[in-house]
Amino acid sequence: SFIVYGNVEPPPSIQLQAGSIGGRIRELREIHGLSQREFARKIGYDKETANILLWEKNRHIPRLGNLLRIAEAFGIGVGSFF
């Protein structure tokens, strides 16, 4: 639930459905129609996009700092990944 102040409504929320952190990252990227390279740029990630692929395949778990960057870039709560 949310509180509406005057005529201001909260931003639309994104409900991620995939069961794993990597699946949720991939789903978020695909919802926004981004390639892995575009996704990396959007979150300010300066490492190889191969790491995005490893996250999406659940071979590496992104550090909390990276999850925070993703959440901030897309206007969602970090809890959306869990």
Side-chain angles (χ1 to χ4, degrees), residues 1-52:
S1 69
F2 58 88
I3 299 172
V4 177
Y5 296 102
N7 292 330
V8 179
E9 294 186 27
S13 62
I14 296 173
Q15 298 295 323
L16 301 178
Q17 302 299 319
S20 66
I21 292 174
R24 291 173 185 193
I25 290 171
R26 184 185 67 247
E27 185 178 1
L28 182 63
R29 179 178 62 76
E30 290 174 348
I31 286 170
H32 290 277
L34 300 173
S35 69
Q36 290 176 344
R37 177 169 281 149
E38 292 166 331
F39 182 84
R41 284 188 195 131
K42 183 167 177 73
I43 65 170
Y45 192 67
D46 59 357
K47 298 191 179 184
E48 295 178 30
T49 56
N51 288 332
I52 305 292

Side-chain angles (χ1 to χ4, degrees), residues 49-60:
T49 56
N51 288 332
I52 305 292
L53 175 66
L54 294 174
W55 293 347
E56 290 183 359
K57 292 188 175 264
N58 293 305
R59 292 190 182 155
H60 288 191

